[in-house]
């Protein structure tokens, strides 16, 4: 009696797992190998970690000399108050 229950449960589990695998393969679309856009990130979204170098300059909003970072775009940003240097840094 107990063996028949065990065999029946094993058969039920196997058939459910197989049915789930078949249903999943049926629903999942065929992969075309292209899942993400390849466009580069726009320039205004550059983060400070992508800065080229650092230099000291006078921060006008703070009224003191602070550390700036220079970006690939030519812009510069104060590391303390995040304001940009007028006219860019050269
Ligand atoms: Zn500043």
């Amino acid at each position: 009696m107990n063996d028949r229950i065990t065999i029946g449960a094993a058969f039920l589990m196997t058939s459910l797992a197989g049915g789930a695998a078949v249903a999943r393969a049926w629903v999942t679309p065929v992969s075309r190998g292209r899942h993400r856009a390849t466009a580069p990130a726009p320039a205004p979204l550059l983060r400070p970690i992508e800065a080229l170098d650092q230099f000291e300059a006078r921060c006008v909003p703070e009224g003191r000399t602070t550390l700036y970072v220079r970006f690939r775009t030519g812009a510069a940003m104060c590391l303390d108050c995040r304001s940009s240097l007028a006219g860019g840094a050269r």
Side-chain angles (χ1 to χ4, degrees), residues 29-56:
V30 177
S31 176
R32 304 248 186 259
R34 188 185 291 180
H35 299 283
R36 293 185 184 152
T38 55
L45 294 179
L46 287 176
R47 290 166 296 179
I49 198 170
E50 293 162 328
L52 293 179
D53 64 341
Q54 297 180 348
F55 60 97
E56 286 187 347

Side-chain angles (χ1 to χ4, degrees), residues 59 61-62 66 68 78-83:
C59 178
E62 293 184 81
T66 59
Y68 276 78
C78 174
L79 284 180
D80 287 350
C81 66
R82 308 289 180 189
S83 68

Side-chain angles (χ1 to χ4, degrees), residues 62-81:
E62 293 184 81
R64 63 185 179 94
T65 300
T66 59
L67 197 61
Y68 276 78
V69 289
R70 189 193 329 267
F71 297 112
R72 202 167 23 143
T73 60
M77 185 182 74
C78 174
L79 284 180
D80 287 350
C81 66

